[in-house]
Amino acid sequence: MKKTLQQISALALCGVLAACSPPPTQQTSVISDINYDKDWQFFRSEKVLDLATAQQQTDWENIAIPHTPKIEPLVVNDQFQGDAWYKKTITTEADWKGKQISLKFEAAMNVAEVWLNGEKLTTHVGGYLPFTVNLTEKLLWDAPNELLVRLDNRDNPITGPKPLHDLDFNTYGGIYRHVYLQLDNDLHISDPVAAGKTASGGIFVRYPKVSATEATVSIQTHLINKSPQPKQFRVVQQLVDGEKKIIEQSSEPQTINGNGDIENQIEFTVNNPRLWSPKTPNLYNLVTRVYEGDALVDEQTTRIGIREFKWIEGQLYINGEKTFLRGVNRHQEYPYIGYATSDAADYRDAVKIKSAGFDYVRLSHYPHSLAFMAAADELGLVLLDAILGWQYFSEDPAFQAQIQQTCRDLIRRDRNHASVMAWECSLNESWMTEPFIDSLTTIIQQEYPGALSAGWQEYGYDIYLQARQHRLEHYKMPTKPYVVSEYGDWEYYAMNAGLNQSAWANLLQADRSSRQLLSDGETRLLQQAANIQEAHNDNFNTPAFADGYWVMFDYNRGYAPDLESSGIMSIDRLPKYSYYFYQSQRDPDEFSDKFTSGPMVFIASEWTESSSLNLRIFSNTDEVELQLNGKLIAKQAPDKNANTTNLKHPPFTFVIDKFEAGELKAIAYRAGKAVAEHKVITPNTATGIALTLDTSGKSPQIGVKDTIFVYAQLQDSNGDRVHSNNVSVKFTLTGSAKLVSPVETNTAAGIASALIEIGDSLDNIIVTAEAPNLAPASMTIK
């Protein structure tokens, strides 16, 4: 008798295939999904190559997934566009006999063609969502199989958006998310995207009733039978909270036709559920098991959060509690590697966003990774999930069909995530015809009845997204739930010039803009924070239930030879002063061991002779006391002025008579009790370097392709921070890791950043940083 997949342990699969799956993201088959990221080969070509020419190529490079076709410079002036070819040898195993075998790509940029043993199997258009290739009838069992993938990331009028030279972000390339080999029995749970069925495919979880005392969980499971013979089966759903089984319910036996498919429905009630919200991101594991007779033939675990999003008179209620969502927009790119981030890197981004005081993220302007979405579920970040779109619309039926299919696939991929609030099936800042908008909102209702749509045009959508720069000249009271989708950048950069970037690119003085690099100095970083404070305060004068600052991290733009620097963190994930403004807006009573929380205080100054004597301090407490060299300057309440009227926690401004070198110390008080403090010390000349590893809630991951930052901070002989720019720091590495960033990078505000790639082991990984006339520093990565 052949073993079932249940009888093949995960450990055995790792041994057979020399590849173990990373921790599940949101919905992963615990039996049949095998990580297939290793042992690929790659080459790139700016020319369009045919299959025969690619097969004759001799300079293939050994690589692992996620992968980008080219390590780009920090500022990307000419992103690679062309052919990216990938090759992998698939050797079949005896245990695969009798299984349905397919290969799933989480994403590949942008048009993918796949061949096996010279036979073309599929073409997939679109670079942000998954696609699956069935290999079952195509694999050779007595010889190695050659898999070839060609990716074309050139400008494409069918997928949009604008051509890269006019685009405000980069789209990069490569197989930049995971690849999985899927082994299934003939009777199995379908893939939600590959199934291609409306409001179906895979596992679909909904919550018809939600309250603190009782919740209804409705589970729809789509099954496929690849055998020509009918099969009798039953489905068992088990809800697990940590290690505790809450509910187990089995369906009645059903029969599925040969070569057929069927829906299974199970609904149960959870008493006193632990509900999901930004403050309490409680998650359950839903374990779905499929039995044919007594044999377990499939099993999947879906991480779910029981919650209700409801709008009453335009305001958001989460589980019955009125909630304002303070949020931010995110581009997913990393320096040098573009989109090819590790799951751990995406998790670290989510931790930084939550630590900054945000509870909401608009996924701008395309589908982000499953790893980031899983992190949002875990940390309590509400998401606005978006299709690709930016300032590009076409009447071409092929373009419109592609966008419509993208909307369907997005919902099918992401519908079970607790964090998803609504679906932005809208082409951002692109004027769309009403029939086209109608088609997209209809698709949302078809795929997820009762779900809400969101779009930047007020017509047709359930939620109206309006950027502040548009509102300043074109605002009228919205008649539906309303989000300030973007604010704080463009209106200060271009005097509300609108969308014509090329014409208005240099209109405003740099020192008035919110686009400030970390290296631009104290005065400009304080201006960015002032702009943000003014705009965020003003957003509360609208009926918005959420707002989203533009943007979390600095990023590259296809059309401009510089970084878009309105991020509250630099492109290498270092905080600017504005990061701490947002952090001060979080409730001090909110605590978590997964991100920075609780009472905080931060002095926005380097405290040098050129520093402002109007000292700005961010805190979420009642009072702040400021000391200079142990002497009391003042103890005072938050500011009160026109730009603080709507803020929960305005900044504190202290006026100091004259500069005196030394230690500034801020002590924050709640109800008369000291609860937080922060110190800034006037630096002396730099004499050395201190190294830190940016773990942000996730330590370096081995066995997968993880990327992580190392920061080299200049310091003086007392160990105090020095803020000098443009000091060249040289990084060297030993052990099972490699340097992704250049060997030498310059400091920004006293910090040089290195991006390193972790290998299969942490053995003997030592990072060394050195700079002229400074004592070098070394750190062992553990």
Side-chain angles (χ1 to χ4, degrees):
M1 182 181 294
K2 292 183 179 179
K3 293 182 180 180
T4 67
L5 284 174
Q6 169 68 1
Q7 295 171 301
I8 304 174
S9 69
L11 182 60
L13 281 175
C14 290
V16 169
L17 300 172
C20 295
S21 298
T25 52
Q26 184 264 340
Q27 181 172 303
T28 304
S29 169
V30 295
I31 294 176
S32 59
D33 283 6
I34 303 163
N35 183 275
Y36 233 48
D37 288 347
K38 293 185 178 181
D39 301 323
W40 289 80
Q41 293 181 294
F42 162 81
F43 80 90
R44 69 172 186 260
S45 169
E46 293 184 358
K47 297 180 180 179
V48 177
L49 302 182
D50 59 22
L51 177 65
T53 305
Q55 289 174 320
Q56 295 169 5
Q57 189 75 19
T58 58
D59 57 344
W60 292 87
E61 174 188 354
N62 295 324
I63 61 99
I65 306 299
H67 183 260
T68 191
K70 178 185 176 185
I71 299 298
E72 300 283 358
L74 181 67
V75 179
V76 183
N77 294 320
D78 186 21
Q79 176 213 296
F80 169 76
Q81 289 186 288
D83 277 7
W85 284 87
Y86 293 85
K87 181 169 68 173
K88 185 176 177 67
T89 298
I90 301 177
T91 303
T92 55
E93 302 286 343
D95 290 321
W96 299 9
K97 284 284 188 178
K99 307 301 179 190
Q100 296 296 315
I101 306 167
S102 56
L103 205 61
K104 179 176 179 179
F105 296 81
E106 281 195 348
M109 187 62 67
N110 174 45
V111 177
E113 296 175 280
V114 181
W115 291 266
L116 185 70
N117 301 324
E119 179 184 355
K120 187 171 183 179
L121 301 186
T122 193
T123 298
H124 180 265
V125 179
Y128 292 93
L129 289 169
F131 66 95
T132 299
V133 185
N134 194 314
L135 307 179
T136 309
E137 303 298 328
K138 304 297 182 179
L139 286 167
L140 301 174
W141 289 89
D142 54 357
N145 296 268
E146 183 181 75
L147 181 80
L148 277 170
V149 181
R150 173 184 174 258
L151 300 179
D152 180 355
N153 71 337
R154 298 173 181 87
D155 299 334
N156 190 304
I158 301 303
T159 62
K162 283 184 176 183
L164 189 62
H165 64 77
D166 289 328
L167 192 61
D168 192 44
F169 54 93
N170 287 61
T171 53
Y172 298 103
I175 305 177
Y176 66 94
R177 293 182 188 156
H178 295 300
V179 181
Y180 291 97
L181 184 75
Q182 297 183 185
L183 302 177
D184 290 300
N185 290 308
D186 283 344
L187 176 60
H188 62 272
I189 302 167
S190 69
D191 179 273
V193 175
K197 293 180 69 70
T198 301
S200 179
I203 297 166
F204 191 177
V205 186
R206 285 169 277 191
Y207 312 98
K209 177 182 178 182
V210 175
S211 74
T213 58
E214 185 177 277
T216 303
V217 180
S218 177
I219 309 142
Q220 175 182 309
T221 306
H222 179 244
L223 296 123
I224 293 176
N225 179 16
K226 288 292 187 178
S227 166
Q229 305 302 319
K231 292 179 179 289
Q232 191 176 71
F233 71 94
R234 62 188 176 93
V235 175
V236 177
Q237 301 286 2
Q238 185 181 93
L239 190 68
V240 180
D241 185 0
E243 299 297 321
K244 182 181 178 182
K245 182 173 73 175
I246 304 300
I247 292 170
E248 182 171 291
Q249 188 165 320
S250 175
S251 69
E252 293 296 322
Q254 292 177 266
T255 299
I256 184 171
N257 292 331
N259 296 316
D261 68 318
I262 198 170
E263 303 283 358
N264 174 270
Q265 299 280 351
I266 290 180
E267 187 170 285
F268 52 70
T269 299
V270 183
N271 294 320
N272 303 311
R274 298 196 311 120
L275 301 180
W276 187 96
S277 74
K279 290 184 179 179
T280 59
N282 299 311
L283 295 170
Y284 294 89
N285 280 330
L286 177 69
V287 182
T288 303
R289 296 187 175 100
V290 181
Y291 291 87
E292 182 184 350
D294 293 329
L296 177 65
V297 294
D298 204 356
E299 177 179 321
Q300 289 190 12
T301 297
T302 308
R303 196 165 64 162
I304 65 170
I306 301 172
R307 83 292 187 260
E308 178 191 59
F309 295 115
K310 188 175 182 179
W311 285 262
I312 302 174
E313 296 180 351
Q315 298 304 298
L316 172 62
Y317 290 76
I318 302 180
N319 306 326
E321 180 180 347
K322 187 177 180 180
T323 304
F324 179 84
L325 295 173
R326 182 175 49 258
V328 72
N329 289 260
R330 175 196 185 236
H331 273 305
Q332 67 183 10
E333 78 160 28
Y334 247 45
Y336 314 114
I337 59 173
Y339 287 170
T341 55
S342 63
D343 288 357
D346 282 337
Y347 185 89
R348 295 177 194 119
D349 267 10
V351 168
K352 290 177 174 68
I353 293 170
K354 192 72 176 184
S355 295
F358 297 117
D359 291 325
Y360 153 69
V361 185
R362 181 176 177 226
L363 302 180
S364 311
H365 295 293
Y366 40 75
H368 289 219
S369 72
L370 287 172
F372 183 81
M373 302 192 72
D377 292 341
E378 179 181 324
L379 298 170
L381 288 168
V382 175
L383 302 179
L384 184 58
D385 209 358
I387 61 172
L388 172 64
W390 194 77
Q391 295 189 7
Y392 179 82
F393 174 75
S394 172
E395 293 283 8
D396 185 340
F399 167 80
Q400 296 193 11
Q402 171 69 20
I403 299 304
Q404 290 159 351
Q405 188 61 51
T406 297
C407 179
R408 291 188 186 278
D409 290 349
L410 177 75
I411 296 170
R412 292 167 183 173
R413 189 194 74 161
D414 295 344
R415 63 197 177 197
N416 291 331
H417 282 281
S419 52
V420 176
M421 170 181 66
W423 308 94
E424 190 180 344
C425 286
S426 169
L427 304 177
N428 186 59
E429 296 183 353
S430 313
W431 192 257
M432 299 168 287
T433 64
E434 291 186 359
F436 183 65
I437 292 173
D438 290 342
S439 74
L440 293 174
T441 57
T442 297
I443 286 170
I444 293 171
Q445 287 306 305
Q446 289 173 342
E447 292 291 339
Y448 198 145
L452 266 65
S453 61
W456 87 285
Q457 286 173 237
E458 191 169 12
Y459 171 82
Y461 289 101
D462 298 311
I463 297 172
Y464 178 34
L465 308 176
Q466 185 181 48
R468 184 171 182 261
Q469 71 263 20
H470 302 161
R471 167 165 61 86
L472 290 177
E473 290 189 352
H474 309 117
Y475 181 76
K476 64 179 181 179
M477 187 65 71
T479 59
K480 56 182 62 176
Y482 173 73
V483 176
V484 182
S485 56
E486 302 172 19
Y487 71 92
D489 167 39
W490 186 257
E491 66 268 40
Y492 296 97
Y493 178 70
M495 294 176 60
N496 199 37
L499 304 178
N500 191 347
Q501 295 184 2
S502 299
W504 300 103
N506 300 306
L507 183 61
L508 261 185
Q509 302 93 334
D511 59 3
R512 176 59 178 153
S513 176
S514 297
R515 299 187 181 185
Q516 305 296 348
L517 294 166
L518 188 65
S519 59
D520 282 338
E522 183 179 306
T523 300
R524 288 189 176 183
L525 293 177
L526 285 168
Q527 182 62 53
Q528 183 195 57
N531 294 351
I532 288 170
Q533 177 186 332
E534 176 185 74
H536 183 53
N537 182 74
D538 180 50
N539 289 340
F540 290 101
N541 295 325
T542 75
F545 69 84
D547 66 1
Y549 174 66
W550 188 267
V551 60
M552 183 67 199
F553 306 111
D554 292 350
Y555 63 95
N556 277 283
R557 302 177 290 169
Y559 82 101
D562 60 354
L563 292 177
E564 208 286 27
S565 54
S566 61
I568 65 167
M569 300 188 89
S570 66
I571 193 170
D572 44 11
R573 277 52 179 173
L574 290 167
K576 306 175 189 177
Y577 292 154
S578 49
Y579 174 95
Y580 298 100
F581 164 73
Y582 280 117
Q583 193 176 82
S584 73
Q585 300 308 297
R586 186 178 292 288
D587 189 333
D589 291 324
E590 185 174 347
F591 289 90
S592 174
D593 60 359
K594 294 183 177 180
F595 55 86
T596 304
S597 54
M600 60 79 64
V601 63
F602 179 83
I603 303 168
S605 174
E606 297 175 4
W607 197 236
T608 65
E609 281 190 303
S610 60
S611 295
S612 172
L613 297 179
N614 291 332
L615 200 71
R616 201 177 317 168
I617 295 177
F618 301 120
S619 180
N620 57 0
T621 60
D622 308 327
E623 290 182 298
V624 170
E625 176 184 305
L626 182 65
Q627 299 175 4
L628 176 56
N629 294 323
K631 297 178 291 186
L632 178 67
I633 299 295
K635 183 179 182 181
Q636 62 192 53
D639 299 347
K640 290 185 178 180
N641 55 53
N643 291 326
T644 66
T645 53
N646 298 314
L647 299 181
K648 288 185 176 181
H649 303 287
F652 297 72
T653 302
F654 289 82
V655 179
I656 302 177
D657 292 337
K658 63 178 182 179
F659 173 76
E660 177 184 318
E663 179 190 87
L664 281 173
K665 181 164 75 172
I667 306 171
Y669 291 84
R670 292 191 72 203
K673 181 182 178 181
V675 291
E677 69 173 50
H678 180 233
K679 296 178 182 179
V680 175
I681 300 173
T682 306
N684 296 311
T685 302
T687 60
I689 298 169
L691 288 173
T692 56
L693 184 69
D694 174 36
T695 56
S696 294
K698 188 71 73 173
S699 61
Q701 304 294 294
I702 61 174
V704 294
K705 191 177 178 181
D706 191 14
T707 43
I708 193 165
F709 286 106
V710 174
Y711 300 126
Q713 169 70 64
L714 304 184
Q715 59 182 20
D716 63 17
S717 58
N718 298 317
D720 297 325
R721 293 180 58 178
V722 177
H723 305 279
S724 303
N725 290 322
N726 299 318
V727 175
S728 178
V729 176
K730 180 181 179 181
F731 291 91
T732 55
L733 265 177
T734 63
S736 181
K738 70 177 184 180
L739 193 63
V740 178
S741 51
V743 171
E744 294 191 26
T745 60
N746 290 337
T747 58
I751 304 174
S753 303
L755 185 64
I756 67 172
E757 180 184 308
I758 303 296
D760 291 331
S761 167
L762 293 181
D763 293 344
N764 303 314
I765 299 180
I766 300 174
V767 183
T768 300
E770 51 189 338
N773 305 315
L774 301 181
S778 293
M779 177 181 65
T780 300
I781 294 180
K782 300 179 180 179

